[in-house]
Amino acid sequence: MTDSNNVVWLGAPSFPDAAREALADTQLRTNLRKATGTIRDKRLAVTAELDDWEQLRTAGKALKRRTLRHLDHHLVRLEEAVTKAGGQVHWAADAAEANRIVTALVKATGQTEVVKVKSMVTQEIALNEALAEEGVSAYETDLAELIVQLGDDRPSHILVPAIHRNRAEIRDIFRREMGKWGRPAPEGLTDRPRDLAEAARLHLREKFLRAKVAVSGANFAAADTGTVGVVESEGNGRMCLTLPETLITVMGIEKVLPSFEDLEVFLQLLPRSSTGERMNPYTSMWTGTTEGDGPQDFHLVLLDNGRTATLKDTVGRQALACIRCSACLNVCPVYERTGGHAYGSVYPGPIGAVLTPQLVGVEHAESLPFASTLCGACYDACPVKINIPEVLVHLRAEVVEAKRAKGRVPTPEALVMKAAASVLSSPVKLSAVQRLAHPAARLVSRRGTIGNLPGPLGRWTRTRDTAVPPKESLRAWWRRTRGGREGSK
Amino acid sequence: MTTRDTVLGRIRAALADVPASEGPDDVPVPRDYRRSHAEPDAVAQFAARVADYRATVTRTTDADARVTVAARLAARGLRTLVVPDGFPAGLLPEGGGWTVLRDEPPLSVAELDAAEGVLTTAALGIAVTGTIVLDAGPGQGRRALTLLPDYHLCVVREDQIAGDVPEALGRVDARAPLTWISGPSATSDIELDRVEGVHGPRTLDVIVVGGE
Ligand code: SF4
């Protein structure tokens, strides 16, 4: 944790320690298994509807790559377009600066309350805490975020942040806490999801109707038109984006897209990958301000906070293409068992394991690159084809390198990790090594599982048994059977 | 030095590997994905996909449109109905048990919150995704009108239905405030149980008008 960066939770235990604790929590594991399994199935069904899904993914990846390679150019265009449309653009180098800007903007309105639509980036900069220090209350309005906020808790999933809570816990939180923040929970509130949603509707409505200032994130912003967009389901986003007089949107600089037309790719990729729907219930897009409709003051805060450092790494920069769909979380065997809290970061799961260490510096999140089995499921699921395993291995090498520089790790290990990084970046070398590696892994295994591995891998294997790699690598099997098609005839 | 200069400077330094001769448009984007996944009968597909979100869809002819609107409203038993400027007079039923509220002068948030329903047109429909696109044009009103009342009845003409997302984006004005609606407000935040209606309208009714 550095002064200027709040991505990692202060005092969070390292991943293996947190994971060990999470693994003992059967309720959590049951909730997670059900949730990730359900979303996974829905996603597969709706992506299968599009026979050009692979072409869409390739286009999404290429568009993000195009944007990142000329990020300065697109940001300057975005700034111009937003300004021309009546908005104001602010630049923030780090979390502290972004918080200062937002706080000053809120204070200038004379208000002491803001309503918020769910936003990863404002969690990343710990905006709510910063506002509270200045006497401004920030109300989360997404149902799951409300549950997290009222429960004085942390989000555990990108899409469904309160997935670790069951309905009885949610009812208890509502009964206990709602009255402290505004309209109390109705008498005799049951734990039926319909009743709980209704309680949230009533509790939040009074806040929406009186709110003068709203804070949002952004799913994208088109540089050519200056159009900013938010996708959501509940309508709390529309409330925040439409009813208040002042709207402050905080956006990571990587969210810009070259043109409005490019949305044709992302509005197909995002909902289908995220909630497994053909389209999410509500998508709001606005360009600056519109007289007589919606906020008359619009501010767009462009945030760096470690993103330019990530951009510098030619292997790691692909993580900035992430559209936060959470598909990689739902397919990850590690996430499914540990839940999001174990990652100790605003960004959990496979994407968190590559993004967090890059945003904060590997030395501040050195266990995260090891929080993966490198099974590759995340890469296959990712709508913008981020090669998460490749970045993980690359970062592992960096962690080992950093430790070696401090004299904490013997050199041979550093060499092994470096070799692994080079191998994983080359498909030819990878399959060669897979053929070699498997007999070796089977030798160290006992009773079908691999026990403790030496070195940095030990930090992961100590918390759990890793399944023994099959005798034949997936690639070899695929080559032999063409994905099982030949074998099954 | 401003933060703007700092951040832009950091970006340029971080992109040292990008050749100076490379322009933003030089990075190729393969666009061999389909322009449309729509079925031959896009109108039927639109109706089916809207219904998939548990919204009600009624198809009707030009001649019967007004009667259909009246029937849907009567079925709800509404007492107050917001109707934006520019809503086609020929579609607005007379009589009925409801009071029509106009947004001129603009209704207050409290008045909108108290209104039971809203009746609008749309800018477009999208067949593949079952989406209604509002752009604040005539008959649609400002965004708050379709947000606060608990019931939204939306009239879409068959010729407004685009096949798929790329076509829809090409047909809207990016500078207008855009709201894409795909079914009623919904949440799945509690144990992934879907509940319709949280903050937006809990009921979405769509009438598709055209043909004979
Ligand atoms: S890394 Fe890919 S799959 Fe994971 S959240 Fe980001 S876009 Fe989605």
Side-chain angles (χ1 to χ4, degrees), chain A residues 55-65 265-266 269 321 383-384, chain B residues 29-30:
Chain A
Q55 284 93 312
L56 281 166
R57 286 177 77 209
T58 304
K61 175 189 170 171
L63 276 166
K64 284 292 187 176
R65 184 182 144 89
V265 173
F266 297 101
L269 288 175
V384 287
Chain B
V29 176

Side-chain angles (χ1 to χ4, degrees), chain A residues 158 321-329 351 378 381-384 386 388:
Chain A
I158 293 178
C322 175
I323 57 174
R324 311 277 187 264
C325 71
S326 75
C328 58
L329 277 65
I351 184 59
C378 49
C382 180
V384 287
I386 299 172
I388 295 176

Side-chain angles (χ1 to χ4, degrees), chain A residues 51-52 66 69-70 72 79 97 144 167 198 201 205 234 262 264 278 281 283 285 287 304 317, chain B residues 3-4 10 12 17 22 27 33-35 37 52 113 174 178 180 182 185 187 189 191 198 202:
Chain A
D51 58 3
D52 58 343
R66 155 181 284 202
R69 283 176 78 85
H70 297 277
D72 50 336
E79 178 185 42
E97 189 170 14
R167 58 185 75 191
E198 177 68 15
R201 178 185 175 100
R205 191 153 273 236
E234 296 171 9
D262 295 331
E264 69 186 28
R278 297 185 181 111
T283 300
M285 297 182 239
T287 306
D304 177 351
R317 81 165 52 134
Chain B
T3 302
R4 181 181 187 276
R10 284 180 189 170
R12 285 169 194 143
D17 61 303
E22 180 184 299
V27 190
Y33 50 86
R34 286 183 190 282
R35 301 307 300 167
H37 302 87
D52 270 358
D113 188 37
L178 297 173
W180 291 31
S182 310
S185 155
T187 183
D189 280 347
E191 294 183 19
V198 195
R202 276 182 275 208

